[in-house]
Amino acid sequence: MSGDDHLRLNLFTMNSVDHVSPGSWTHPGDQSHRYTDRDYWTDVARTAERGGFSSVFFADVRGVYDVYGGDRETAIRKGVQTPANDPSYLVPAMAEVTDDLGFALTRSTTYTHPYQLAREFSTLDHLTDGRIAFNVVTSYLDSAATNLGLDERMDKATRYDRADEFMDVCYALWEESWDEDAVVRDAERGLYADPDGVRTIDHEGEHFDVPGPHGCEPSPQRTPVVFQAGSSDRGREFAAANAEAVFCSQPTEGSVVEYVEDLRERAAALGRDSDSLAFFPGIVPVVGETAAAAEAKHEALVEHVDVEASLALLSGFLDVDLSELDPDRRIEHIETDAIQGTMNAFTRSDPDRDWTVREVAEFSGLGTTSPVVVGTPEAVADELERWYREVGIDGFNVKEVVRTGSLDDFVDLVCPVLRERGLLPQEPTAGTLRERLLGDGPRLAADHPARS
Amino acid sequence: MSGDDHLRLNLFTMNSVDHVSPGSWTHPGDQSHRYTDRDYWTDVARTAERGGFSSVFFADVRGVYDVYGGDRETAIRKGVQTPANDPSYLVPAMAEVTDDLGFALTRSTTYTHPYQLAREFSTLDHLTDGRIAFNVVTSYLDSAATNLGLDERMDKATRYDRADEFMDVCYALWEESWDEDAVVRDAERGLYADPDGVRTIDHEGEHFDVPGPHGCEPSPQRTPVVFQAGSSDRGREFAAANAEAVFCSQPTEGSVVEYVEDLRERAAALGRDSDSLAFFPGIVPVVGETAAAAEAKHEALVEHVDVEASLALLSGFLDVDLSELDPDRRIEHIETDAIQGTMNAFTRSDPDRDWTVREVAEFSGLGTTSPVVVGTPEAVADELERWYREVGIDGFNVKEVVRTGSLDDFVDLVCPVLRERGLLPQEPTAGTLRERLLGDGPRLAADHPARS
């Protein structure tokens, strides 16, 4: 956690018509279909910067959600994260119209090569003067694997083994290959770089052989800020060893507290300063000028949740075909262990409630597992402040429902209250994304495993 | 060739300190080292658009030039296309500050996957409203192969076989997977896309199995403008089957004429309208307000050519270690067939001259194989006009030496003369890059093999 007393905000979004609020693109005034336009995104960037956001956090997925019903029909019909464009190309345009806003990019270690990815992030870190983060994921859809040259998706253990080695290669390319003073730029002597300061990394591993050296000179942050969101045991181990910032997708305060404590313990066990990890739970703010206005907005949002689309999205997340269940069946009467287990993630948020499948889909339709906070600007700010002070998190990944109405509301109504309370700085803090998000930088902390 | 009487200009550059004029970064005032800054590139974009350029054409290379002397020392010391950042991320920022300028991106089919590349170009085509071209290359440096997961570089035949299949997969994803009216966006019915209009491509081949469908909805051009620059027999076959625009790197007028005729014949043999291919020889303009000023500039440029860096670059191009030759040895006395053959490409430009290795390096140091045109704005315009009218080409890939001085000179001094003569339009022509560059579009021509 950083030294100052500011919370950090990241806008959580995706380069697609639908992200995690299935059906919301049908809400009156929703602009999601403009995701293909550069202007849509530069407007988002300006609004987020005006609100004092630290970064825009881009989700991404490869493949199509074809678990539900065993085919892709629902996903295509309802636009369930399909089609989805590459988010990384939004960054340079959004950087061009902002001064300080950062950008977190989700990239999978399963379908790319570390020598390639390292170059892409170095380039972006140069072009944005160090405003880049890398949200490391390992992918979960079979349809991505088959399209990208694998016969089938790797099992989870293999994906994480590969991710471990992938990060080792990237760290070596980013941190070790070029000395800080390797680039000399001495025109008189015709010497651009000193070859003694540019080293091979000679990586030979299970998944990759990468001799190096890195093809890029050092960028402001070298390693981008490392984000992660692992929730399984193996995922938590990976996050503890790699993450500087953690996106928590637990649905309740209690489960976030448990998660934060667990990750800090695991990080400490690896020799890291456990306070150095920053945590960002997802949150879905629904704000109105009055409590009644906020409630009315919330009702309209719930009305536009597309239950079938929501089930298609959940089926992909859970790798379980929920089309086989009667939507009006109560969860307690579902006997399949896999489904019961995975549904628990959602029903835990209100354990006494007698949930049906449809109700779970509706609940998760405003931002999957994240808490929804409905109220006046003051009430929403109260809840954010309470989480910040009592749960011990560092800020929030703010999820949109209506685009761009949810963000506009938040920036126009809630951010001024947060600023007034001193929870957001009056002026954007200067420096790289690492400095703005973690209060330290521009380089990876000395206790990070990549540097030791 | 297009119907109107305008020539087209592309700025040929690279996201690195050095491109094809080794040593020029040491020239007084040269700004090449600012290649890591977004501002450098947005200035280049504004200048190119002001000059009436159709596009900025980005070269790219993976790996390090380590053929010369058998190691990477010279390449790193002299900045020979090393370090080099990813050019694709320059595009959205440069698009943000321009209205019509296009962007041609060099990408290798050897080290990426078509399902991945297809998404990247679709995203860029969406974000730029159809201002994108794809310069297809197959790569030539072993060091790229070893870093990107291959034991060694594929042989040339295999690289081109893979490139053929790669393009087939991309064409199917871009042209066939989504019907023009597949995206319905009917909020009332909650129908984003019609699944009947979104098809798998079911590609099963030697190098790739890609079921599809494409993960992106149709972009303005669907397939980006296809550029190619094949010069070997196999490369020419590939260009004839795929290219809409051809970058000719032949060093003399005669060799360009031969090349253009040969490619048109090959294209016709494949059932294409041979006039539909557009040709762009590289050219290195050195312009001054007087002939004497131009000559003085040229002398200063030649003085800053770094002979050793030039030989390192050529060694990579030719896959022959030129460090083994005495720089003062005359070419005719070099008995190794490989070297003699490849050096001929350079010495052909002045067959009666008794070239030494050093002289070849100096000659090629201002833009490798492209003709250098030195003179007043009128004299340079005369030469461009003569090529345009007599050689039957469609425009030029204009190479920089001093950055950004070469471009600034050309835009400030030569472009007004071309505009006055009606060789450049008074106002930028509207439309996609395909329409601006080829006079037709926005889709691939009906006779292109991808559509038949």
Side-chain angles (χ1 to χ4, degrees):
Chain A
M1 228 186 320
S2 60
D4 59 46
D5 197 21
H6 296 144
L7 60 81
R8 271 81 173 162
L9 302 171
N10 309 302
L11 174 68
F12 188 50
T13 189
M14 186 166 171
N15 194 3
S16 56
V17 71
D18 169 59
H19 178 203
V20 281
S21 50
S24 61
W25 68 273
T26 66
H27 193 285
D30 186 274
Q31 298 291 305
S32 299
H33 64 278
R34 291 184 53 222
Y35 78 94
T36 55
D37 295 351
R38 210 175 59 250
D39 284 355
Y40 170 85
W41 293 105
T42 50
D43 283 347
V44 165
R46 289 189 186 98
T47 307
E49 180 147 281
R50 178 162 58 84
F53 276 70
S54 294
S55 81
V56 177
F57 186 116
F58 288 105
D60 193 20
V61 76
R62 305 308 310 273
V64 179
Y65 285 79
D66 56 7
V67 176
Y68 183 80
D71 62 42
R72 71 183 71 85
E73 179 155 337
T74 304
I76 287 174
R77 188 183 293 282
K78 308 281 189 180
V80 180
Q81 300 192 354
T82 299
N85 281 348
D86 188 324
S88 64
Y89 292 116
L90 303 176
V91 171
M94 293 170 82
E96 184 58 27
V97 301
T98 52
D99 293 320
D100 300 292
L101 189 67
F103 306 94
L105 281 173
T106 297
R107 291 291 300 275
S108 170
T109 56
T110 304
Y111 305 121
T112 185
H113 193 283
Y115 182 74
Q116 172 64 22
L117 180 134
R119 185 195 201 207
E120 294 170 3
F121 274 94
S122 291
T123 300
L124 285 167
D125 202 52
H126 275 299
L127 287 179
T128 62
D129 291 317
R131 297 198 250 158
I132 293 293
F134 170 20
N135 177 44
V136 188
V137 300
T138 63
S139 299
Y140 48 84
L141 292 173
D142 278 328
S143 53
T146 52
N147 273 300
L148 284 160
L150 302 174
D151 289 336
E152 54 183 14
R153 191 170 44 139
M154 296 173 205
D155 63 43
K156 191 165 193 159
T158 310
R159 294 207 308 274
Y160 270 107
D161 287 347
R162 180 181 158 110
D164 280 333
E165 192 184 331
F166 191 105
M167 294 308 290
D168 285 345
V169 174
C170 287
Y171 292 143
L173 291 170
W174 286 325
E175 298 291 328
E176 293 163 26
S177 187
W178 287 68
D179 281 351
E180 208 55 39
D181 55 1
V183 174
V184 179
R185 286 194 201 121
D186 183 340
E188 204 67 40
R189 292 157 63 207
L191 183 68
Y192 186 77
D194 175 4
D196 292 339
V198 183
R199 268 176 303 279
T200 55
I201 64 165
D202 302 319
H203 177 91
E204 292 181 21
E206 181 84 16
H207 299 273
F208 312 105
D209 291 336
V210 181
H214 190 29
C216 307
E217 57 184 281
S219 65
Q221 299 185 119
R222 286 186 176 244
T223 296
V225 176
V226 181
F227 250 102
Q228 229 274 324
S231 59
S232 66
D233 184 63
R234 189 69 177 80
R236 290 174 187 218
E237 272 309 298
F238 183 84
N242 293 280
E244 303 175 82
V246 180
F247 170 30
C248 334
S249 45
Q250 284 64 31
T252 64
E253 194 176 319
S255 54
V256 169
V257 169
E258 179 277 329
Y259 180 74
V260 170
E261 272 176 17
D262 179 57
L263 272 203
R264 288 205 199 280
E265 273 169 31
R266 291 175 191 251
L270 295 170
R272 298 180 66 185
D273 172 5
S274 64
D275 282 341
S276 71
L277 272 73
F279 291 89
F280 299 88
I283 201 141
V284 183
V286 181
V287 56
E289 305 213 15
T290 63
E295 285 301 339
K297 273 188 192 176
H298 183 245
E299 247 170 68
L301 297 182
V302 171
E303 241 169 59
H304 284 88
V305 169
D306 186 315
V307 169
E308 196 191 356
S310 184
L311 292 171
L313 186 65
L314 291 177
S315 296
F317 286 166
L318 309 175
D319 205 12
V320 172
D321 180 2
L322 299 175
S323 76
E324 291 164 4
L325 302 180
D326 175 354
D328 294 311
R329 194 152 169 199
R330 289 208 303 271
I331 297 286
E332 61 174 333
H333 295 134
I334 298 171
E335 274 132 41
T336 317
D337 278 357
I339 295 176
Q340 184 69 53
T342 47
M343 279 301 197
N344 276 344
F346 299 93
T347 54
R348 263 206 308 252
S349 66
D350 190 355
D352 300 328
R353 185 167 159 186
D354 206 14
W355 294 77
T356 65
V357 172
R358 180 192 305 280
E359 285 163 348
V360 167
E362 281 171 352
F363 170 76
S364 75
L366 293 192
T368 57
T369 56
S370 297
V372 178
V373 182
V374 184
T376 62
E378 290 71 24
V380 172
D382 285 348
E383 184 66 3
L384 298 187
E385 181 165 6
R386 195 181 65 72
W387 275 69
Y388 177 61
R389 302 217 182 277
E390 292 175 17
V391 184
I393 48 82
D394 298 81
F396 299 92
N397 274 12
V398 177
K399 294 186 177 180
E400 306 167 283
V401 183
V402 176
R403 292 157 76 181
T404 58
S406 301
L407 173 65
D408 297 340
D409 280 354
F410 190 84
V411 166
D412 291 335
L413 301 173
V414 179
C415 289
V417 178
L418 295 173
R419 234 180 336 263
E420 210 168 279
R421 297 184 187 182
L423 287 165
L424 283 178
Q426 296 301 317
E427 295 292 323
T429 49
T432 60
L433 180 57
R434 179 168 285 114
E435 291 163 284
R436 298 187 68 214
L437 206 59
L438 310 173
D440 203 11
R443 299 279 310 278
L444 263 179
D447 67 317
H448 190 284
R451 297 198 63 187
S452 52
Chain B
M1 226 187 319
S2 60
D4 59 46
D5 197 21
H6 297 143
L7 60 80
R8 272 81 173 161
L9 301 171
N10 309 302
L11 174 68
F12 188 50
T13 189
M14 187 166 170
N15 194 2
S16 56
V17 70
D18 169 59
H19 178 202
V20 280
S21 49
S24 60
W25 69 272
T26 66
H27 192 285
D30 187 275
Q31 297 291 306
S32 299
H33 64 277
R34 290 185 53 222
Y35 77 95
T36 55
D37 295 351
R38 211 175 58 249
D39 284 353
Y40 170 85
W41 292 106
T42 49
D43 283 347
V44 165
R46 289 189 185 97
T47 306
E49 179 146 280
R50 179 162 58 83
F53 276 71
S54 295
S55 82
V56 177
F57 185 115
F58 288 104
D60 193 21
V61 76
R62 306 308 311 274
V64 178
Y65 285 79
D66 56 6
V67 176
Y68 183 80
D71 62 42
R72 70 183 72 84
E73 179 154 338
T74 303
I76 288 173
R77 189 183 292 281
K78 308 281 188 180
V80 180
Q81 300 192 352
T82 298
N85 281 349
D86 189 323
S88 65
Y89 292 116
L90 304 176
V91 171
M94 293 169 82
E96 184 58 26
V97 302
T98 52
D99 293 319
D100 299 292
L101 189 67
F103 307 94
L105 281 173
T106 297
R107 291 291 300 276
S108 170
T109 56
T110 303
Y111 305 121
T112 185
H113 193 282
Y115 183 74
Q116 172 64 21
L117 180 135
R119 184 193 201 208
E120 294 170 3
F121 274 94
S122 291
T123 300
L124 285 167
D125 202 50
H126 275 299
L127 287 178
T128 61
D129 292 316
R131 298 198 250 158
I132 293 293
F134 170 19
N135 178 43
V136 188
V137 300
T138 62
S139 299
Y140 50 83
L141 291 173
D142 277 329
S143 53
T146 53
N147 274 301
L148 283 160
L150 303 174
D151 290 335
E152 53 184 16
R153 191 170 43 138
M154 296 173 205
D155 63 42
K156 191 166 193 158
T158 309
R159 294 207 309 273
Y160 271 106
D161 287 346
R162 180 181 158 109
D164 280 333
E165 191 184 330
F166 191 105
M167 294 307 290
D168 285 345
V169 173
C170 287
Y171 292 143
L173 292 169
W174 286 325
E175 298 290 328
E176 293 163 26
S177 187
W178 288 68
D179 281 350
E180 208 55 39
D181 55 2
V183 175
V184 178
R185 285 193 204 121
D186 183 340
E188 204 66 40
R189 292 157 62 205
L191 183 69
Y192 186 76
D194 175 4
D196 292 339
V198 183
R199 269 177 302 279
T200 55
I201 64 164
D202 302 319
H203 177 91
E204 292 181 21
E206 180 84 17
H207 299 274
F208 312 106
D209 291 336
V210 181
H214 190 29
C216 306
E217 57 184 283
S219 66
Q221 298 186 120
R222 287 185 176 244
T223 297
V225 176
V226 182
F227 250 103
Q228 229 274 325
S231 59
S232 67
D233 185 62
R234 188 70 177 81
R236 289 175 187 216
E237 271 309 299
F238 183 83
N242 292 281
E244 302 176 83
V246 180
F247 172 29
C248 333
S249 44
Q250 284 63 32
T252 63
E253 195 177 317
S255 54
V256 169
V257 169
E258 179 277 329
Y259 180 74
V260 170
E261 273 175 16
D262 179 58
L263 272 203
R264 289 207 198 279
E265 273 169 32
R266 290 174 191 251
L270 295 170
R272 298 180 66 186
D273 172 5
S274 63
D275 282 342
S276 71
L277 273 75
F279 290 89
F280 299 88
I283 201 143
V284 183
V286 181
V287 56
E289 306 215 13
T290 63
E295 285 300 339
K297 273 189 192 175
H298 183 244
E299 247 170 69
L301 298 182
V302 171
E303 240 170 62
H304 284 88
V305 170
D306 187 316
V307 168
E308 197 191 355
S310 185
L311 291 171
L313 186 64
L314 291 177
S315 296
F317 287 165
L318 308 176
D319 204 13
V320 172
D321 180 3
L322 299 175
S323 77
E324 291 165 4
L325 302 179
D326 176 354
D328 294 311
R329 194 154 169 197
R330 288 208 304 269
I331 298 287
E332 62 173 330
H333 294 134
I334 297 172
E335 273 133 42
T336 318
D337 280 356
I339 295 176
Q340 182 70 51
T342 47
M343 279 301 196
N344 276 343
F346 299 93
T347 55
R348 262 206 306 252
S349 65
D350 189 354
D352 299 329
R353 185 168 158 187
D354 206 15
W355 293 78
T356 66
V357 171
R358 179 191 306 280
E359 284 163 350
V360 167
E362 282 171 352
F363 169 75
S364 75
L366 293 192
T368 58
T369 56
S370 297
V372 179
V373 182
V374 184
T376 62
E378 289 71 26
V380 172
D382 286 348
E383 184 66 2
L384 299 186
E385 181 165 7
R386 194 181 66 73
W387 275 69
Y388 177 61
R389 303 218 182 275
E390 292 175 17
V391 183
I393 47 82
D394 298 81
F396 300 91
N397 274 13
V398 177
K399 293 185 178 181
E400 306 167 284
V401 183
V402 176
R403 293 156 73 180
T404 59
S406 300
L407 173 65
D408 297 339
D409 280 355
F410 190 83
V411 166
D412 291 335
L413 301 173
V414 179
C415 289
V417 178
L418 296 174
R419 228 173 349 256
E420 209 168 280
R421 296 184 186 181
L423 287 165
L424 283 178
Q426 296 300 317
E427 296 292 323
T429 49
T432 60
L433 181 57
R434 180 168 284 115
E435 292 163 283
R436 298 187 68 214
L437 206 57
L438 309 174
D440 204 12
R443 300 279 308 280
L444 264 179
D447 67 317
H448 190 283
R451 297 197 63 188
S452 51

